[in-house]
Amino acid sequence: MKLLIICMALFALVTNAHGHKPSDSYLNVKIQGSDIHVQWDMALRDLEYAIGLDADNDGKITWGELRARHAEIAAYALPRLEIRAGDAPCVTGIPAHYVDNHSDGAYTVLRFSATCSKAPQTLDIRYGLFFDLDPTHRGLLQVNWNNRTQTAIFSPDRPTQTIEMKAAQSWRLFLDFLREGIQHILRGFDHILFLLSLLLPAVLKCHAGKWQAVSSFQPAFLDVFKIVTAFTVAHSITLSLAALDIVHLPSRWVESVIAASIVLAAMNNVYPLFDGRRWLVAFFFGLIHGFGFAAVLADLGLPQGALLRALIGFNLGVEMGQIAIVGLFLPLAYALRQSWFYQRVALVPGSLLVAAIGFIWWVERMFDLKLFS
Amino acid sequence: MRYLLLAFVIFLGADAVASAPPLFSKEPFVPTQDNMVLERLPYVTDPAARQLRLWREQRARNPSDPALAVRLARKYIEQGRAELDPRYYGYAQATLAPWWDMPEPAADILVLRAIIHQSNHNFDRALADLSLALKADPRHAQAWITRAMILQTQGEYAEAKRHCMPLLRLSTPLYATTCMASVASFNGKAQQSYDLLRRSMDNSLNSTGRLWALTVLADISIRTGQGRLAEAHLKEAFLLAPRDRYLLGLYADFLMNEGRHAEVIPLLENEVQIDGLLLRLALAKQAIGAPDLAARVEALRERFAASRLRTDVRHRREEATSALYLLNKPHEALELARANWVTQKEPEDARIFLASALAANDPAAARPVLHWLTVTQLEDVRLIPFANKIKAL
């Protein structure tokens, strides 16, 4: 037992035991009709471990030593990669061999083409290189077709990747983010409370210090339209700026201001300050709410190379959720605008309640406390 | 609709930038001369490598023999640690393949499996495997040490100390003392731990034990601002393990902390395969205004991009350091440092978190670290200036 400790005591010491880059291969697949062009970069160090390259055992791999093993490399690697178009396997051609330097050393590069029986709709790629020798090895796949790029990672747990080349694939991503956007606005009570606080007086007008119901639908609709549009334009601007890494604000500050904006919007219904110019409030604080949306989007993880689709999907989702809320609110508020409930309960006590909630959030966020859990 | 159009235009520009991944756009070539050296292999000629080859062959003939597998896997892990090379941990994992998915293999295998999980920053699984190992064999000293050190990394100091205790019975006094001193030095007892450990070193001849103790002594000296002592301990440790990359990193940190950046460059110029050392080399070159800094920064950027491609989160501390000091992106650094802080809480993790929060002018973000420093009573002179500046904001 002592001997064991002597060998092992230091292992426990180091947690950041990883200095070298781990083992990766790079598989680049270009699809043109039924022809597939493949470039596969494999680290010389991995091949040395797998089949041996350093013939004279001097610790150096020369081009001569590598060239002498080209046939063995192809025979070792190619059966560990399988490309299928739908049900039919694609036939791989004879590879040409090159050398390339990556950031962590020299790689051998295999270039070959694969011919499928028909232009593939879906491409299944099965990868099994080095997994038996080093389960932490990864195959980094990049597929290009029609100016589109998709990346994926092969691991022992996921040795097969399916590439859908139908338009559906890009729509799926778009729809995923659209759904996330809708869910976020519907679950994010702070955005809803802010917007509804601003919209509450839209079906009323202030006359000699007293609220009165508007006589027709048109002014109410115009008021709502102005506020919603201002809020939308503003948060779209900042959402885009933040998502594209152009502007950053500290998240706690953003969240605190969002909470404060709810207090302000709600208190305005008790002591009207901005009547008629509530769309300006919506625009100004909409800028801040946009940063809040951006934080959510960042948490979802933006797919590189498909940033555009994800961002528009998410933004449209937010707008759809918002339209749904306004679509429910406006007819209801218009119908109830002359009622005692709307004028005596919803407007002032309701707004006070909302302001209180906003204030609690503001305290929690500003001072990082949890007042109510 | 106009805002959408505007957003669209902005996005189009961004997409064009984002769609040029440099990792795949290299230019392959065909060398012209057979004697051109493409790659130098790490130490194939040294005894450790010869030993590995021999054991690998023996194990290949008897793949289901646990004793041969444990011996080989342990050697791979040892090599991976000394060279900071994750491939060896992968080889060790492959060696343990027949037992890898078993719920309860033998204690020795559980411990090795735990060390590999730990090296992947999979701390929960590592701790679970070690619990099982200790249940099966409560006298397994390595299991106690490894568990103690993982708990220390996570900042669970009380639990970590509890795990050092059994070493008094199960191993030499030096291991037990080093374990205790290491943990307690993070927990308000830096100087006492140093004195105790220094005294117990005197009567030990075990070189691995001394190496560990010296590393801990050096680390405490750095944290308590005793540069001369730290350097002496590091130099003595190098005599025991001349090629140890972990020590090299610690020494480079020490030199830069003392403002001796120029000395770091000859030390690390040939260690650029190792991300952590490449990062330190770049920081040193930046400090002295070396002309080839840009190439080092670019190489680092590629490495981090590659580890992001494989969704590897083990380098967040290094990536945060690079973002803050080399790329001058404090907000990015802060996000990375914050995410890193969730999994590990060593002084270096605290330092990069504080420095990023300060540079990003976001003192509120640093609150968890300041709170942590108060609760644990962590002593580290390198953290004090950052903490003071943040409190003054």
Side-chain angles (χ1 to χ4, degrees):
Chain A
M1 187 53 79
K2 284 271 163 62
L3 196 88
L4 178 78
I5 306 163
I6 289 165
C7 298
M8 309 273 291
L10 282 175
F11 301 164
L13 193 65
V14 184
T15 56
N16 280 0
H18 293 279
H20 282 266
K21 192 175 149 308
S23 163
D24 294 321
S25 93
Y26 300 95
L27 185 65
N28 196 344
V29 177
K30 274 199 179 65
I31 303 164
Q32 287 171 337
S34 60
D35 284 336
I36 298 175
H37 302 282
V38 182
Q39 176 176 321
W40 197 2
D41 298 16
M42 294 165 236
L44 293 190
R45 273 200 63 191
D46 291 330
L47 285 169
E48 159 68 20
Y49 186 74
I51 59 170
L53 299 176
D54 185 16
D56 60 3
N57 257 323
D58 66 346
K60 295 180 200 126
I61 297 170
T62 61
W63 168 237
E65 286 170 329
L66 178 64
R67 209 161 50 92
R69 301 285 280 164
H70 275 163
E72 285 84 354
I73 292 172
Y76 181 79
L78 291 181
R80 288 171 166 80
L81 180 71
E82 193 188 358
I83 303 175
R84 300 174 72 91
D87 301 331
C90 304
V91 184
T92 50
I94 295 162
H97 294 259
Y98 301 82
V99 172
D100 203 352
N101 290 306
H102 286 261
S103 71
D104 61 327
Y107 281 59
T108 195
V109 177
L110 266 57
R111 275 185 181 167
F112 54 91
S113 55
T115 316
C116 310
S117 53
K118 53 179 191 245
Q121 291 283 297
T122 63
L123 202 66
D124 291 302
I125 305 179
R126 187 176 179 81
Y127 178 103
L129 188 73
F130 299 142
F131 286 156
D132 52 334
L133 302 172
D134 177 358
T136 63
H137 172 81
R138 296 291 178 265
L140 306 182
L141 170 69
Q142 177 172 308
V143 185
N144 304 72
W145 79 98
N146 288 346
N147 290 325
R148 259 185 254 154
T149 299
Q150 189 175 335
T151 58
I153 304 170
F154 295 107
S155 66
D157 298 332
R158 286 208 65 180
T160 307
Q161 295 285 349
T162 302
I163 310 295
E164 306 258 354
M165 270 160 298
K166 286 171 272 183
Q169 178 63 16
S170 59
W171 276 104
R172 199 191 300 163
L173 178 101
F174 181 82
L175 290 176
D176 282 347
F177 276 85
L178 189 78
R179 202 181 49 230
E180 291 291 346
I182 295 173
Q183 284 179 352
H184 178 63
I185 187 83
L186 294 183
R187 288 193 198 139
F189 289 115
D190 40 8
H191 308 301
I192 298 177
L193 283 184
F194 173 71
L195 198 60
L196 289 186
S197 301
L198 287 177
L199 295 182
L200 266 181
V203 291
L204 306 171
K205 61 177 188 253
C206 195
H207 188 72
K210 287 212 160 171
W211 291 105
Q212 294 178 348
V214 288
S215 47
S216 70
F217 187 72
Q218 200 189 4
F221 177 79
L222 266 180
D223 202 20
V224 167
F225 182 77
K226 269 186 343 197
I227 291 167
V228 171
T229 306
F231 185 65
T232 303
V233 172
H235 72 230
S236 299
I237 292 172
T238 46
L239 169 60
S240 310
L241 290 178
L244 298 174
D245 245 7
I246 301 170
V247 181
H248 271 290
L249 289 179
S251 64
R252 186 182 290 174
W253 187 85
V254 169
E255 295 301 320
S256 305
V257 175
I258 289 177
S261 73
I262 297 168
V263 180
L264 192 86
M267 288 312 287
N268 180 56
N269 299 338
V270 183
Y271 303 104
L273 287 170
F274 310 105
D275 193 42
R277 292 188 308 278
R278 292 197 314 285
W279 67 273
L280 274 175
V281 179
F283 183 84
F284 177 77
F285 286 103
L287 291 171
I288 308 299
H289 283 249
F291 284 107
F293 294 136
V296 177
L297 193 54
D299 286 343
L300 293 173
L302 277 177
Q304 287 302 316
L307 200 60
L308 169 68
R309 272 197 298 277
L311 208 61
I312 293 185
F314 185 81
N315 205 347
L316 280 181
V318 169
E319 312 322 348
M320 282 167 67
Q322 195 175 291
I323 286 170
I325 294 163
V326 174
L328 279 175
F329 166 80
L330 187 56
L332 200 67
Y334 189 73
L336 294 173
R337 71 193 190 282
Q338 285 173 319
S339 68
W340 174 85
F341 171 80
Y342 197 88
Q343 296 195 3
R344 301 273 164 235
V345 179
L347 190 65
V348 174
S351 293
L352 282 172
L353 182 67
V354 169
I357 294 171
F359 182 72
I360 290 166
W361 280 340
W362 178 78
V363 172
E364 286 185 338
R365 293 169 185 187
M366 193 70 192
F367 303 103
D368 201 22
L369 299 170
K370 199 86 202 123
L371 295 180
F372 302 95
S373 49
Chain B
M1 234 29 213
R2 213 169 43 195
Y3 70 95
L4 256 183
L5 208 65
L6 172 74
F8 212 85
V9 173
I10 299 172
F11 302 153
L12 283 177
D15 249 18
V17 176
S19 63
L23 286 162
F24 292 89
S25 60
K26 299 268 178 176
E27 244 344 287
F29 61 98
V30 178
T32 47
Q33 281 175 332
D34 272 357
N35 59 4
M36 179 180 173
V37 175
L38 304 174
E39 181 75 286
R40 284 167 206 280
L41 299 167
Y43 319 111
V44 270
T45 47
D46 80 3
R50 273 205 299 276
Q51 178 99 78
L52 271 176
R53 264 202 301 273
L54 183 70
W55 286 0
R56 186 180 166 198
E57 283 157 19
Q58 288 176 355
R59 130 101 213 185
R61 284 193 292 272
N62 292 296
S64 56
D65 182 336
L68 291 180
V70 164
R71 183 178 72 170
L72 179 63
R74 189 181 291 153
K75 189 79 186 163
Y76 275 136
I77 291 173
E78 211 176 303
Q79 195 76 1
R81 197 210 66 83
E83 292 179 21
L84 298 183
D85 188 340
R87 274 184 172 85
Y88 288 108
Y89 289 87
Y91 300 160
Q93 184 179 334
T95 308
L96 299 178
W99 303 275
W100 190 257
D101 293 318
M102 262 188 204
E104 283 189 52
D108 277 350
I109 289 176
L110 279 167
V111 172
L112 293 176
R113 203 164 77 175
I115 293 172
I116 296 167
H117 281 316
Q118 179 219 354
S119 81
N120 294 325
H121 284 203
N122 208 334
F123 295 132
D124 292 339
R125 291 187 68 179
L127 290 173
D129 272 355
L130 290 167
S131 291
L132 284 176
L134 287 171
K135 211 172 74 189
D137 178 6
R139 302 184 52 79
H140 203 298
Q142 181 63 51
W144 288 106
I145 292 189
T146 310
R147 223 177 126 81
M149 290 299 117
I150 295 175
L151 291 165
Q152 171 184 292
T153 310
Q154 295 186 314
E156 304 283 344
Y157 299 128
E159 267 297 282
K161 279 181 220 165
R162 201 176 66 73
H163 282 77
C164 294
M165 295 304 282
L167 296 172
L168 279 171
R169 296 180 281 118
L170 302 175
S171 74
T172 62
L174 184 57
Y175 280 108
T177 318
T178 310
C179 187
M180 284 303 275
S182 176
V183 179
S185 77
F186 291 104
N187 202 195
K189 300 247 183 323
Q191 193 57 48
Q192 292 100 308
S193 301
Y194 179 90
D195 296 338
L196 174 72
L197 183 54
R198 184 119 198 225
R199 270 200 308 282
S200 24
M201 264 198 72
D202 294 339
N203 40 33
S204 172
L205 296 169
N206 169 342
S207 71
T208 310
R210 285 184 75 86
L211 183 58
W212 185 19
L214 284 167
T215 316
V216 171
L217 285 175
D219 192 50
I220 301 177
S221 312
I222 293 172
R223 275 187 275 131
T224 51
Q226 307 186 70
R228 296 246 305 267
L229 286 176
E231 188 158 22
H233 293 312
L234 285 168
K235 291 212 159 133
E236 197 185 337
F238 273 121
L239 293 179
L240 295 169
R243 256 195 2 229
D244 193 291
R245 301 305 196 286
Y246 176 76
L247 276 179
L248 212 51
L250 198 60
Y251 191 45
D253 285 345
F254 163 76
L255 290 173
M256 288 196 277
N257 200 37
E258 302 271 301
R260 291 155 61 183
H261 294 88
E263 290 174 55
V264 171
I265 289 162
L267 210 59
L268 300 185
E269 196 77 82
N270 292 321
E271 301 291 349
V272 293
Q273 279 294 329
I274 297 170
D275 300 346
L277 299 184
L278 175 61
L279 170 65
R280 290 170 172 97
L281 180 66
L283 291 170
K285 281 183 185 282
Q286 186 187 39
I288 63 161
D292 60 340
L293 171 66
R296 305 299 187 192
V297 174
E298 175 58 23
L300 267 175
R301 201 194 56 72
E302 278 182 31
R303 301 268 180 92
F304 289 133
S307 66
R308 254 199 308 269
L309 262 186
R310 56 185 286 165
T311 56
D312 189 340
V313 297
R314 291 174 302 199
H315 298 79
R316 280 192 290 224
R317 183 205 287 171
E318 285 80 4
E319 201 176 349
T321 310
S322 165
L324 179 61
Y325 294 109
L326 297 173
L327 306 177
N328 197 18
K329 288 186 176 165
H331 295 284
E332 201 173 295
L334 181 58
E335 287 318 308
L336 287 160
R338 197 200 307 267
N340 175 56
W341 185 251
V342 177
T343 52
Q344 47 182 47
K345 296 187 170 55
E346 293 180 312
E348 289 79 7
D349 304 307
R351 184 152 65 135
I352 185 60
F353 199 157
L354 291 178
S356 307
L358 191 62
N361 203 12
D362 190 354
R367 211 160 299 170
V369 185
L370 296 177
H371 178 70
W372 169 259
L373 294 182
T374 319
V375 171
T376 60
Q377 300 176 290
L378 177 70
E379 296 151 83
D380 191 333
V381 289
R382 298 167 301 177
L383 297 180
I384 295 167
F386 291 114
N388 286 344
K389 277 187 206 152
I390 286 177
K391 282 175 196 153
L393 277 180

